[in-house]
Amino acid sequence: MNHRQTGIDAVLSRDLLAYMKQKHLLLIDNPTVDSVKDTVQKEAANRPSVEVEIRGRNLVSGMPDCVRVQSEEIGRVLQLG
C-alpha cells in the first residue's frame, strides 16, 4: 500500500507489533501485520475461530520463526487498540 495508514489503523498495527514482541518474542514487519489484520477480519465473518500462522524473526535466537495464534487472541489485541 502506498497510502498512509489512518490514525486508528496505525495504532492497531503498533499494538499488534508490540504484542507479538512481548507475548511471542517474534519480530514482524508492517506487511505481515497488515496481512494478519486482513486475514482475521475476513475470516471472522465466516468462522468464529481460525488459526493464523505468523512468520517473523525470533527475538531470542535471531532466526526466522513461525507461531500459530488463534484469531480470538489477535482480535482481543486489536480491540484494545
Side-chain angles (χ1 to χ4, degrees):
M1 287 184 170
N2 290 331
H3 63 81
R4 292 180 151 201
Q5 290 181 311
T6 63
I8 293 172
D9 192 47
V11 169
L12 294 176
S13 294
R14 184 196 67 214
D15 290 349
L16 187 54
L17 282 167
Y19 178 79
M20 292 305 294
K21 282 181 186 178
Q22 182 179 30
K23 175 76 175 174
H24 295 283
L25 300 174
L26 192 72
L27 181 63
I28 58 176
D29 59 12
N30 286 323
T32 301
V33 170
D34 292 338
S35 175
V36 169
K37 290 189 305 187
D38 290 344
T39 299
V40 169
Q41 289 172 350
K42 288 176 186 173
E43 294 299 326
N46 300 328
R47 294 182 265 174
S49 177
V50 70
E51 188 174 75
V52 180
E53 184 175 275
I54 303 174
R55 295 182 183 274
R57 185 171 10 127
N58 183 294
L59 291 172
V60 176
S61 70
M63 300 297 291
D65 199 2
C66 177
V67 296
R68 295 178 184 272
V69 180
Q70 293 297 318
S71 58
E72 296 93 9
E73 183 177 350
I74 296 168
R76 285 192 300 270
V77 172
L78 297 178
Q79 287 178 355
L80 295 175

